[in-house]
């Protein structure tokens, strides 16, 4: 019987191919009678010719503008473009023209509900950051108003959050005492907030949001759990009524301080604190078991503040051991732009604190916004969110506010209360305004222990042991990153614990890049499908062929490893053939389907592999290179080096065609 003789011919620019003027590989088929159905060999085409500027433009567009934000402006009149521009910069113009009474009713209820949570939380989180309680209320007034104009989320509840408050407090306290030098500490807090906002807005403006992606889910799970425990332990000061307490944020110093100051424990404070802690945890449990009763846990903090304040006021002559907030000034946010600390020696500390808190608050805010947007099937623009959060922090730093972002607890309450738009933030800010103007004297007898109980209840939800268990089951390296973050925060420090976890996440990325996966492929009988021999038991080796798939780009970072690993595959295959008396290895096929990019080091590695294989009388063949890889192989003249039959569209066609050639020469 005759055989199928297929030949690959390479045409240069001088050939008359009008489709692709540059050099390209064309595979022509000469058919002879076969004992099996004839299979054609297809052409491997070069990508369309583009200039360097066109390639750079497309690459930058993919990096910075994957969502093509200007597509809505195409083919529009100038008036329409102006309106779309306003809507793009200020999302409030998208929904405001259609806003009516019905959504306002929902937003009014939602706004008042989250205000009842925001007021005690604002006071509590400010104390967590070692700031005056009034600063927490200031931070719940100005930032929500700015976000309602610039933000793209309908459900994000804006205000101070526990993690950012903890990090700011721990980083600033390492160098400046909030009790010995309160004015300097306050200045540094406002300055750190300014730089946090500047950093966040810059990320949005330059569309560099991928920077925050280096905080992986595993890192955040461990970090938040460790921070939650540290926050809770810090609240033992208020829960036990201790006056002299360590300013350090590590597990050992905190616990040592607790037991060293046993003589300062106040039984009245302990009884009051544990009673309200049980009440708050109980309401939280009810709301978790029955989501329709979300308002129970939402109203619990304000209820606790009111009841505890009344108790302390009525027993003020007997409850001397219970410390209270004391005097809080009435009035709107005073300007603080003149308090920004922009000189040495503490400028570097403020910048570093701003960057760390900025990244953490940005990550939390965007994650929360996207979570609730997914539940209501709408999109949140990440870059707009960065701009909005950044602008509200920059403005907040000039109006006596510290770092704010989207709070998960407020947003959950906002969502469950039926919020329709960002007007709920305006309603909340209005309620805080009324509090600032008229209700501040009522907080004079509010016990500090109730603020500690509120904080403990809030941060307990950050300990997600189920997520940690899933990490263990799915990815052990992610679990290591999670544990490193957790123990780093618990025993070293909050910023260093976070840095260790980020380092492990980056190491994981480098590990995947520098040690990519390679697998041996086999043929599934009766098909032209080639799959991993280890995954598919029915897949069989093809005699005289070693078929490998490289599952990563080939860069300078992994080219040497891939070269060594591929040659090891060849050596192991030859040893297996020798032990099993198989057919001699004649051809190595590299499936390039998953090789999305290649650089000069990768090209040199392929050339070196071919040179080494030729010494063993083994042919090297590449299959299915993507357009960018194909282009670089052509420009480096590697296609010519591989030879006329060194490139195929699929593994199946390569095996069929090369086998036919061997039969012809047999």
């Amino acid at each position: 019987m005759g055989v199928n003789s297929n030949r690959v011919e390479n045409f240069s620019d001088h050939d008359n191919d009008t489709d692709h003027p540059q050099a390209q590989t064309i595979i022509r088929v000469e058919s002879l009678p076969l004992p099996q159905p004839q299979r054609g060999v297809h052409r491997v085409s070069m990508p369309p010719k583009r200039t360097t500027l066109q390639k750079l433009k497309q690459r930058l567009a993919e990096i910075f503008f994957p969502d093509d934000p200007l597509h809505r402006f195409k083919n529009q009149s100038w008036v329409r473009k102006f309106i779309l521009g306003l809507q793009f910069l200020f999302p409030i113009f998208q929904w405001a023209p259609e806003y009516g009474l019905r959504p306002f009713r929902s937003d009014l209820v939602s706004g008042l509900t989250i205000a009842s949570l925001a007021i005690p939380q604002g006071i509590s989180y400010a104390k967590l950051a070692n700031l005056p309680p009034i600063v927490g209320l200031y931070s719940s007034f100005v930032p929500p108003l700015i976000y309602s104009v610039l933000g793209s989320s309908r459900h994000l509840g804006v205000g101070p959050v526990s993690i950012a408050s903890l990090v700011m407090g721990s980083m600033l306290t390492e160098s400046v005492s909030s009790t010995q030098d309160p004015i300097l500490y306050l200045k540094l807090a406002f300055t750190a907030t300014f730089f946090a906002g500047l950093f966040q807005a810059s990320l949005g403006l330059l569309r560099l949001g991928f920077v925050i992606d280096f905080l992986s889910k595993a890192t955040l799970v461990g970090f938040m759990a460790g921070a939650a425990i540290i926050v809770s332990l810090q609240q033992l000061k208020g829960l036990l009524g201790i006056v002299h307490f360590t300013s350090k944020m590590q597990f050992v110093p905190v616990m040592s301080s607790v037991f060293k100051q046993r003589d300062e424990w106040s039984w009245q404070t302990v009884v009051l604190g544990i009673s309200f802690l049980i009440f708050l945890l109980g309401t939280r449990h009810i709301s978790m078991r029955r989501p329709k009763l979300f308002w129970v846990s939402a109203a619990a903090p304000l209820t606790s503040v009111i009841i505890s304040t009344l108790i302390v006021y009525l027993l003020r002559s007997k409850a001397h051991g219970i410390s209270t907030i004391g005097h809080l000034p009435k009035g709107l946010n005073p300007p603080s732009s003149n308090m920004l600390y922009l000189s040495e020696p503490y400028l570097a500390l403020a910048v570093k604190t701003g960057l760390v808190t900025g990244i953490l608050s940005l990550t939390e805010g965007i994650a929360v916004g996207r979570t609730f947007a997914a539940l209501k099937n709408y999109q949140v623009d990440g870059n707009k969110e960065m701009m909005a959060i950044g602008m509200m922090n920059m403005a907040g730093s000039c109006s006596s506010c510290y770092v704010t972002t989207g709070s998960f607890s407020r947003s959950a309450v906002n969502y469950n209360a039926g919020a329709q738009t960002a007007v709920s933030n305006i309603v909340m800010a209005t309620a805080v305004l009324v509090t600032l103007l008229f209700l501040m004297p009522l907080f004079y007898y509010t016990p500090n222990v109730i603020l500690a109980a509120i904080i403990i209840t809030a941060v307990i939800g950050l300990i997600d042991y189920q997520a940690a268990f899933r990490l263990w089951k799915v990815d052990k390296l992610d679990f290591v990153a999670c544990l490193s973050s957790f123990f780093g925060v618990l025993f070293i420090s909050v910023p260093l614990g976070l840095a260790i976890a980020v380092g492990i996440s980056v190491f994981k990325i480098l590990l995947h890049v520098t040690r990519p996966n390679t697998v041996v492929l086999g043929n599934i009988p009766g098909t032209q499908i080639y799959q991993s021999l280890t995954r598919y038991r029915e897949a069989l080796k093809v005699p005289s062929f070693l078929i490998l798939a490289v599952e990563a780009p080939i860069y300078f970072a992994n080219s040497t490893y891939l070269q060594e690993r591929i040659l090891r595959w060849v050596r192991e295959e030859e040893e297996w053939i020798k032990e099993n008396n198989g057919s001699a290895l004649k051809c190595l096929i590299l499936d390039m389907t998953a090789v999305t990019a290649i650089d000069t080091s990768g090209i040199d590695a392929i050339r070196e592999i071919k040179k080494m294989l030729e010494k063993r009388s083994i042919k090297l063949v590449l299959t299915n290179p993507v357009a960018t890889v194909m282009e670089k192989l052509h420009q480096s003249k590697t296609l010519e080096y591989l030879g006329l039959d060194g490139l195929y569209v699929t593994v199946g066609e390569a095996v069929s065609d090369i086998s036919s050639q061997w039969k012809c020469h047999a």
Side-chain angles (χ1 to χ4, degrees), residues 75-89:
N75 304 319
Q76 300 289 344
S77 66
W78 285 106
V79 175
R80 182 61 181 162
K81 286 181 179 178
F82 176 74
I83 295 172
L84 290 173
L86 281 178
Q87 292 177 346
F88 180 78
L89 295 173

Side-chain angles (χ1 to χ4, degrees), residues 516 550 552-564 566 590 592 595 597-610 620 622 629 632-633 636 638 641-642:
V550 181
I554 304 178
Y555 289 128
F556 66 92
N558 61 24
S559 58
T560 302
Y561 165 79
L562 283 173
Q563 182 178 325
E564 294 172 351
I566 289 170
L590 284 184
M592 307 278 282
V595 180
I598 194 169
D599 66 359
T600 52
S601 298
I603 292 171
D604 290 341
I606 289 178
R607 284 174 168 265
E608 192 66 25
I609 290 169
K610 178 175 173 58
L620 175 65
L622 308 181
V629 173
K632 290 186 179 181
L633 291 175
S636 63
T638 303
Y641 183 69
L642 289 170

Side-chain angles (χ1 to χ4, degrees), residues 365-598:
I366 292 178
V368 171
R370 286 176 174 169
T371 298
F372 291 103
L375 295 176
K376 284 294 185 178
N377 198 28
Y378 69 92
Q379 283 189 323
V380 167
D381 189 320
N383 289 292
K384 286 183 183 177
E385 289 298 285
M386 292 178 203
M387 287 288 292
I389 294 173
M391 292 300 293
M392 74 185 191
N393 278 319
M394 290 174 68
S397 68
C398 299
S399 54
S400 300
C401 305
Y402 78 107
V403 174
T404 54
T405 187
S407 162
F408 183 81
S409 58
R410 296 191 198 191
S411 301
V413 170
N414 201 28
Y415 174 84
N416 287 321
Q420 300 295 313
T421 67
V423 170
S424 58
N425 275 301
I426 298 175
V427 174
M428 179 192 72
T430 305
V432 173
L433 170 64
V434 172
T435 303
L436 287 169
L437 290 177
F438 306 109
L439 305 180
M440 297 314 296
L442 299 180
F443 291 99
Y444 184 90
Y445 287 100
T446 300
N448 286 312
V449 64
I450 204 64
L451 304 181
I454 291 172
I455 291 174
I456 292 173
T457 307
V459 299
I460 279 178
L462 299 176
I463 304 174
D464 193 349
Y465 63 90
Q466 292 178 333
F469 180 69
R470 286 194 298 270
L471 290 173
W472 168 256
K473 290 180 64 178
V474 176
D475 193 318
K476 301 299 186 290
L477 198 55
D478 268 352
F479 183 73
V480 171
C482 176
L483 283 186
S484 300
S485 180
F486 176 76
F487 288 115
V489 170
L490 213 57
F491 293 102
I492 304 175
S493 72
V494 173
L496 281 179
L498 184 62
I500 291 170
V502 171
I504 291 177
S505 297
V506 172
F507 171 75
K508 180 182 176 183
I509 296 172
L510 293 175
L511 190 64
H512 285 305
V513 170
T514 59
R515 294 295 182 266
N517 195 32
T518 55
V519 294
V520 181
L521 304 183
N523 177 245
I524 296 179
T527 71
Q528 284 289 301
I529 299 173
Y530 289 79
Q531 287 291 347
S532 170
L533 290 172
T534 56
R535 285 182 60 199
Y536 295 85
R537 294 184 179 180
E538 64 269 29
L540 302 175
K541 287 187 176 182
V542 182
S544 301
F545 287 90
L546 174 60
I547 307 168
L548 298 177
V550 181
E551 300 180 338
I554 304 178
Y555 289 128
F556 66 92
N558 61 24
S559 58
T560 302
Y561 165 79
L562 283 173
Q563 182 178 325
E564 294 172 351
R565 189 67 184 92
I566 289 170
L567 292 175
R568 177 183 161 192
W569 280 118
V570 172
R571 186 183 72 248
E572 291 174 347
E573 182 68 12
E574 288 178 331
E575 292 173 354
W576 183 88
I577 290 171
K578 187 176 180 180
E579 292 174 359
N580 294 275
N581 297 319
S583 301
L585 181 61
K586 298 180 181 179
C587 181
L588 170 66
I589 298 177
L590 284 184
D591 184 359
M592 307 278 282
T593 303
V595 180
T596 56
I598 194 169

Side-chain angles (χ1 to χ4, degrees), residues 222-241:
F223 174 78
M224 289 193 292
I229 292 176
I230 286 295
V231 169
S232 299
L233 294 178
Q234 274 282 336
Q235 302 318 303
L236 291 177
K237 173 186 177 182
L239 207 61
L240 300 174

